[in-house]
Amino acid sequence: MPLVAPFRTSFGTQTVREVLLIRVVTPGAEGWGECVAMQDPLYSSEYVDAAEHVLRRFLVPALLHVGEVTASSVAVHLAKYKGHRMAKAALEMAVLDAELRTHGQSFGAALGSTRDRVPCGVSVGIMDSIPQLLDVVGGYLDAGYVRIKLKIEPGWDVAPVRAVRERFGDDLLLQVDANTAYTLSDVPQLARLDPFELLLIEQPLDEEDVLGHAELARHIRTPICLDESIVSARSAADAITLGACRIVNIKPGRVGGYLEARRVHDVCAAHGVPVWCGGMLETGLGRAANVALASLPGFTLPGDTSASDRFYRTDITEPFVLESGHLPVPTGPGLGVTPIPELLDEVSTAQEWIGS
Ligand SMILES: CC(=O)N[C@@H](Cc1ccc2ccccc2c1)C(=O)O
Ligand SMILES: [Mg+2]
């Protein structure tokens, strides 16, 4: 799927999204899952071809051998295979969708939704110039987004943040995301962000450097939020206990599924740690599930649950359209959305049936 504009982060520039979808067929209903892995292993170790391979070779056969499968048992059946959380999450999502459609229950109702719409933030890429950045940010604010997140990297951090603060004022909800681009030697530079009263700085250091984030937290005022480091409820509890983060970005694919995402939410709530729903440039399928998740009570910060047109001119489902800075939580059975066949066909490059 082509992106409406190049999206540049500290780990590269994306112009196209290659996405792996899973359709599960059961006697009761069909279910859809979306794997959030990128085409290349730049955000994490997973990537589309690897996810496809591990699903075909190990994960789908494991479920086919079980026979009767429920969504809550998928993770147990797949646990013997290490890692591949995004691939596992996509499979569990498809089984959960089929199960919920069969019983006529929405994702929101199943996960514990307490709201019927969620406030939406937007992730803004690294730009070629400050004027271009200010134009793009202005456009998103005009569209109604309630929070701005700026991608940063060494050489593009203090100046863009200062420019956005000076242009749009101190009341703007503003945060940054480094995608692991800094090290502890950058502490002085990161401390220069403190005067701008950011909501948070997301994943400044390497995803495995939990103690480094705890050390960084002793030298900067901006609250640290972790993304890539949080791969499960256990890792969230460990990071919080070690003082590595005060806020958590929850991405169901990164933690192994929506059921684990709810456990991350519960662990963070138990520690009084606010969470928000991150984004992986999902189609309307993953977007529907993320908006439902983002409506749980502990999601007290606006997430990267942007409208479909933030990234795509044409989504494969009915588009999610921002209404007064919010997206409505789908109410239909399961995801509440399904791919529109002709739109899915237009972007499909390959498909494969794996049956028992
Ligand atoms: C919205 C946002 O910033 N997402 C990720 C980074 C990201 C960036 C580019 C991507 C391209 C294809 C698939 C996933 C991607 C995720 C983040 O929060 O760190
Ligand atoms: Mg991030």
Side-chain angles (χ1 to χ4, degrees):
M1 293 170 70
L3 301 187
V4 292
F7 184 43
R8 184 177 155 195
T9 70
S10 65
F11 58 71
T13 300
Q14 313 289 322
T15 57
V16 174
R17 178 74 163 102
E18 183 185 6
V19 61
L20 173 63
L21 301 180
I22 297 180
R23 181 173 65 97
V24 157
V25 178
T26 76
E30 294 189 0
W32 287 90
E34 177 169 350
C35 181
V36 298
M38 294 178 57
Q39 186 168 353
D40 305 328
L42 298 171
Y43 165 82
S44 75
S45 61
E46 295 191 73
Y47 59 101
V48 171
D49 289 351
E52 183 194 334
H53 186 272
V54 74
L55 280 157
R56 181 192 311 112
R57 173 88 180 279
F58 300 105
L59 305 183
V60 172
L63 289 197
L64 291 174
H65 286 121
V66 168
E68 274 292 309
V69 173
T70 60
S72 57
S73 66
V74 166
V76 172
H77 295 308
L78 303 182
K80 63 185 174 185
Y81 300 117
K82 301 292 188 178
H84 298 282
R85 290 180 175 85
M86 294 175 179
K88 290 176 176 178
L91 186 51
E92 180 192 86
M93 176 181 169
V95 173
L96 180 57
D97 186 32
E99 188 174 306
L100 293 176
R101 286 178 197 268
T102 303
H103 298 108
Q105 188 181 36
S106 71
F107 251 67
L111 292 174
S113 170
T114 53
R115 286 168 280 165
D116 57 12
R117 65 180 198 146
V118 297
C120 299
V122 64
S123 180
V124 179
I126 293 166
M127 299 279 160
D128 294 332
S129 73
I130 298 275
Q132 184 196 13
L133 174 73
L134 295 176
D135 283 349
V136 169
V137 170
Y140 288 137
L141 293 174
D142 291 344
Y145 285 103
V146 304
R147 179 270 282 144
I148 295 291
K149 158 171 147 177
L150 303 179
K151 291 295 184 180
I152 61 170
E153 64 182 11
W156 179 269
D157 46 34
V158 171
V161 166
R162 175 186 295 112
V164 168
R165 261 292 174 246
E166 286 175 355
R167 167 69 67 84
F168 299 106
D170 295 341
D171 295 340
L172 172 67
L173 298 184
L174 181 60
Q175 65 194 54
V176 295
D177 185 358
N179 289 106
T180 75
Y182 295 83
T183 69
L184 280 175
S185 65
D186 297 309
V187 164
Q189 184 66 7
L190 294 173
R192 291 180 58 210
L193 291 169
D194 283 349
F196 300 108
E197 299 296 322
L198 299 175
L199 283 171
L200 57 93
I201 177 170
E202 190 178 341
Q203 199 71 45
L205 309 179
D206 184 273
E207 67 274 19
E208 297 187 3
D209 194 3
V210 176
L211 292 180
H213 283 99
E215 174 64 20
L216 175 63
R218 288 188 276 274
H219 297 282
I220 65 173
R221 266 192 311 108
T222 306
I224 293 172
C225 172
L226 292 178
D227 173 347
E228 289 90 333
S229 295
I230 309 299
V231 294
S232 64
R234 179 207 307 259
S235 72
D238 292 353
I240 292 164
T241 302
L242 290 166
C245 64
R246 282 194 270 157
I247 302 168
V248 170
N249 163 334
I250 295 182
K251 291 178 179 176
R254 187 193 68 222
V255 302
Y258 284 86
L259 301 181
E260 183 70 9
R262 181 173 51 182
R263 289 189 281 268
V264 175
H265 162 270
D266 295 348
V267 162
C268 291
H271 286 268
V273 166
V275 302
W276 54 282
C277 188
M280 292 293 279
L281 283 66
E282 291 91 345
T283 72
L285 296 169
R287 197 159 301 280
N290 286 353
V291 171
L293 178 73
S295 70
L296 266 60
F299 287 80
T300 53
L301 290 167
D304 285 343
T305 50
S306 307
S308 293
D309 68 3
R310 162 63 185 88
F311 292 108
Y312 305 115
R313 187 167 50 77
T314 309
D315 204 337
I316 57 171
T317 65
E318 286 301 319
F320 280 82
V321 178
L322 209 60
E323 294 157 11
S324 307
H326 290 65
L327 285 181
V329 176
T331 55
L335 291 169
V337 297
T338 51
I340 297 166
E342 50 275 8
L343 298 180
L344 180 58
D345 290 347
E346 268 173 36
V347 293
S348 290
T349 54
Q351 59 187 25
E352 177 182 352
W353 172 252
I354 305 173
S356 46

